Amino acid sequence: MRLILVGPPGAGKGTQAQFLSAHYSIPHISTGDIFRANLKAGTELGNQAKAFMDRGELVPDSVTNDMVKDRLTHDDVANGFLLDGYPRNVAQAEVLRAFLAEAKTPLQAALELAIASDEIIKRLSSRRTCRGCGASNEAGATNCASCNGNDLYQREDDKEEVIARRLEVYEEQTAPIISFYRSEGLLITIPAVGTVAEITEHAITALGRL
Ligand code: AMP
């Protein structure tokens, strides 16, 4: 299964990606997670990305595209992959399409998690991320629901001033990829409402019709 997840920040892409990647036995490739890991490790890539991430802006395509292409040459993508947070604009979508066409492994679906914008703000501002495994948790939780680690923090870009900018960036730059994938005949939209398990089940049913 070669799949991308599309949807605004806070739609639950990372959470669903965890479950879907386990279900289909494919790696979950999150560009945000890769950038955060590089930031933490103090790499050159992390330094390049930091200022953009802190402002809620997109990291330049040249940096992001090369990073994803490199990741997609690893052995573990032989059975497919689930991209989360990439592509983030139409130019990235075109680079991905060309790269996968060249490898004769085209995308099979773009799964859109649809959610209302007032719900997004509520979810993002109450999100606490696990420093150990990167999973999202609710504010007030003391331990991570995914790995039981006890180091939960609020991402800099989940603070209110940055959330507003991330939503603008989503509307202006990322939302157009929905029409792109619709016209490619790859778009599958499901509402991102209900429990995590309900949404996963809905996604698997929708993807099962492929
Ligand atoms: P995320 O964890 O997907 O919300 O990503 C966090 C931040 O990483 C974004 O706000 C961007 O600054 C950066 N980022 C992640 N994916 C991309 C991408 N595909 N293109 C450019 N910047 C990205």
Side-chain angles (χ1 to χ4, degrees):
M1 171 79 73
R2 293 179 298 277
L3 177 67
I4 64 162
L5 282 184
V6 189
K13 297 188 298 297
T15 304
Q16 288 305 321
Q18 265 186 314
F19 289 102
L20 293 172
S21 75
H23 180 83
Y24 294 110
S25 302
I26 49 176
H28 167 201
I29 302 175
S30 154
T31 43
D33 283 353
I34 300 175
F35 284 133
R36 277 184 291 279
N38 276 277
L39 265 181
K40 196 166 152 188
T43 68
E44 175 61 30
L45 179 66
N47 293 338
Q48 283 177 307
K50 185 177 183 336
F52 298 97
M53 294 178 75
D54 284 350
R55 293 197 304 266
E57 307 281 343
L58 296 186
V59 177
D61 287 353
S62 52
V63 175
T64 309
N65 288 330
D66 284 353
M67 178 179 91
V68 172
K69 285 197 242 177
D70 176 69
R71 179 64 186 84
L72 289 176
T73 57
H74 292 193
D75 291 343
D76 65 348
V77 301
N79 286 328
F81 53 80
L82 195 170
L83 276 170
D84 158 21
Y86 181 93
R88 256 329 207 269
N89 58 31
V90 172
Q92 292 182 3
E94 280 167 350
V95 165
L96 179 67
R97 177 174 59 185
F99 180 79
L100 295 177
E102 175 87 29
K104 299 196 168 32
T105 53
L107 269 189
Q108 292 167 289
L111 180 70
E112 180 195 6
L113 298 180
I115 177 178
S117 48
D118 51 346
E119 177 67 17
I120 299 176
I121 297 170
K122 206 162 74 193
R123 284 196 198 178
L124 286 178
S125 53
S126 67
R127 174 162 79 177
R128 297 295 177 270
T129 302
C130 174
R131 225 180 273 282
C133 75
S136 297
N137 291 268
E138 283 284 318
T142 49
N143 288 73
C144 173
S146 196
C147 73
N148 203 36
N150 63 1
D151 192 359
L152 303 180
Y153 75 108
Q154 182 172 37
R155 277 169 46 176
E156 274 307 311
D157 61 352
D158 280 344
K159 298 191 173 152
E160 223 166 293
E161 27 334 329
V162 189
I163 292 176
R165 180 64 192 138
R166 286 167 71 203
L167 292 178
E168 268 173 24
V169 168
Y170 178 78
E171 283 308 322
E172 288 165 13
Q173 302 186 48
T174 308
I177 71 172
I178 292 174
S179 312
F180 175 92
Y181 286 115
R182 187 179 293 117
S183 67
E184 298 264 300
L186 292 174
L187 189 72
I188 296 175
T189 303
I190 63 165
V193 288
T195 64
V196 169
E198 281 164 356
I199 299 169
T200 309
E201 205 180 304
H202 199 155
I204 291 169
T205 307
L207 291 167
R209 290 190 222 112
L210 278 181

